[in-house]
């Protein structure tokens, strides 16, 4: 599992960078705006996780490959992606949400943080990049609107599933992680597909 | 005093969680939005303080009880609090403002930070949760508007009173803390009651 | 060079405090808003740099003179500066942008961070104060708008120039720093003067 963490990180960063650059295009920003939003979306959640846990220098500072990857993806998505597709944005965002959630909980558990805080750390790591992306685009983060389909809830449920399965001694961390990330991912796509929202008071 | 710090933290976190959830209801957010705003308001100031001082993992990561408390309060305030009252919001907010301001200065002084920076740390700890709450609700933080009653000023005055009294060798930290927190609290309520604002240029 | 870092920091902090207070006046905030925006603009970039690199307590916590300087400048700019001039705002902002960019890269290189991440750290340190200033004023950060003249780009180019020159063994850090900062500064003023923007997709 240890060796797979960087790979998962790269996938989540790449997916988030795409979603960030697409969102910037929607808002008619220039390439600097698009790159910045891509970086913020890709690095935001993991950075917050590392700061809160005291893991500094943060993850992308010590691995320059992540910066290069995000930069290349942002420029490509901004200039070359012909058909803008809202579906791609939701898909890429859901991948990032799923993997980052599990990574957040994993690093917390590695530090002997209690399970309930590990779940919270998973949710923060999962959603924070997207929240920053939306705040910088100057609108109420979509995750908070009453008309929004389940978002943080998917991260919460999937991370809880991961922490629960992971606590069973007989089960390895890897299958637990995959099940957790897939739960977040599938739940998010189903919520968007069937417009599932939470009840209002 | 040392043993009382966690108790003060719980009171301030609980009060801020109430104010966050009430603010979210005002803005017609769903339960996820309300919970998030409650967490951000309750944890924001102390988290910023811990990060700036290098006290990591931050305070709520190492005490899961704070997460449970905030979650329960957010859900209860959102679904069960019958009569929404603006007065309750201001009251809860003022309690959080008062206690967090003193806690911020206290932890700074414990690290041998100079008194003037300790006062600034108090103000940051006191107001930052509310600033985040307002930024996430997508409006200019009320603390900055010219028509707003004194807010950061109350934190500044009360924290200065605390640092001043605390520097007198004959006086214990506990009475200094209580006087400081009460100064912030009372000054804030009076400012709202009598609509006291600062002079414009 | 080591001994000059605090001096550069003071100049950048002072210039950013002026730009923050002027921006607050534009938005009709009160003195508390102006002071807060001044602090956020002056301390934001360097704070983010220190947090990401794990240099805590952050720079202004251990040097109370920076707090006093920023406070005095904010109050003076808000109440006493007679003729509000947009040119002064751009000038002060460009000074802060130039020096903070180089300081960010310098501290990163001191920690043996790779050059590409050091450049990114320079850009973050340079622009983050201004981004926070704009977010708190509740508008899309000017740095992201398509109609904005080059901003982050100036920081990126100047920091790259610095890192490049600095990597030549025969050249000292001081001249490399000055050339880098002047590149950012001059490029920014020229971009504003001739309304240079980036191409849209």
């Amino acid at each position: 599992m240890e060796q797979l963490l960087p790979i998962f990180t790269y996938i989540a960063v790449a997916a988030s960078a795409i979603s960030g650059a697409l969102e910037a295009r929607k808002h008619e920003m220039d390439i600097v705006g698009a790159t910045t939003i891509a970086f913020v979306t890709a690095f935001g959640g993991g950075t917050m996780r590392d700061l809160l846990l005291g893991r500094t220098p943060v993850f992308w500072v010590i691995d320059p490959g992540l910066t290069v990857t995000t930069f290349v993806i942002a420029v490509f998505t901004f200039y070359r992606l012909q058909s803008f597709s809202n579906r791609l944005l939701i898909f890429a965002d859901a991948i990032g949400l799923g993997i980052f959630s599990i990574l957040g909980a994993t690093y917390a558990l590695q530090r002997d943080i209690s399970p309930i805080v590990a779940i919270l750390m998973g949710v923060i790591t999962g959603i924070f990049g997207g929240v920053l992306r939306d705040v910088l685009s100057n609108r109420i983060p979509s995750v908070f609107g009453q008309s929004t389909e389940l978002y943080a809830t998917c991260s919460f449920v999937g991370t809880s599933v991961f922490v629960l399965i992971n606590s069973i001694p007989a089960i390895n961390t890897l299958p637990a992680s995959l099940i957790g990330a897939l739960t977040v991912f599938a739940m998010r796509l189903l919520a968007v597909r069937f417009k599932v929202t939470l009840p209002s008071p």
Side-chain angles (χ1 to χ4, degrees), chain A residues 41 43-50 52 96-97 100-102 104-105 116-132 151-152 155-156 159:
Chain A
T41 314
F43 289 175
T47 300
M48 183 51 78
R49 172 200 68 204
D50 287 353
L52 296 173
L97 181 68
F100 272 134
S101 300
I102 304 306
I116 195 152
V117 176
I119 293 172
L120 182 57
M121 196 61 72
V123 176
I124 291 173
T125 311
I127 73 171
F128 193 69
V131 169
L132 273 184
Y151 191 88
S155 169
F156 180 75
T159 310

Side-chain angles (χ1 to χ4, degrees), chain A residues 69-185:
Chain A
T69 304
T70 304
F71 189 78
V72 169
I73 286 180
V75 171
F76 180 86
T77 306
F78 189 72
Y79 282 119
R80 285 278 166 267
L81 212 67
Q82 291 302 333
S83 59
F84 175 87
S85 131
N86 210 45
R87 202 177 285 184
L88 176 62
L89 199 165
I90 286 163
F91 195 82
D93 184 82
I95 293 174
L97 181 68
I99 299 180
F100 272 134
S101 300
I102 304 306
L103 284 173
T106 301
Y107 285 120
L109 292 174
Q110 278 184 356
R111 300 238 153 171
D112 292 322
I113 305 295
S114 83
I116 195 152
V117 176
I119 293 172
L120 182 57
M121 196 61 72
V123 176
I124 291 173
T125 311
I127 73 171
F128 193 69
V131 169
L132 273 184
R133 179 189 63 202
D134 294 346
V135 168
L136 289 181
S137 311
N138 203 27
R139 54 188 183 94
I140 293 194
S142 61
V143 59
F144 300 149
Q146 278 188 349
S147 58
T148 311
E149 302 86 4
L150 301 183
Y151 191 88
T153 312
C154 305
S155 169
F156 180 75
V157 171
T159 310
S160 303
V161 165
F162 161 68
V163 170
L164 212 75
I165 298 182
N166 194 49
S167 68
I168 306 171
I171 299 183
N172 250 322
T173 303
L174 184 56
S177 302
L178 292 177
I179 293 171
L182 280 174
T183 304
V184 178
F185 179 73

Side-chain angles (χ1 to χ4, degrees), chain A residues 22 28 38 104 128 191:
Chain A
L22 288 178
E28 312 218 324
F128 193 69

Side-chain angles (χ1 to χ4, degrees), chain A residues 37-77:
Chain A
I37 301 283
F39 270 111
V40 158
T41 314
F43 289 175
T47 300
M48 183 51 78
R49 172 200 68 204
D50 287 353
L51 292 180
L52 296 173
L53 293 174
R55 302 175 75 244
T56 53
V58 301
F59 75 107
W60 53 269
V61 167
I62 51 184
D63 180 357
L66 291 166
T67 295
V68 177
T69 304
T70 304
F71 189 78
V72 169
I73 286 180
V75 171
F76 180 86
T77 306

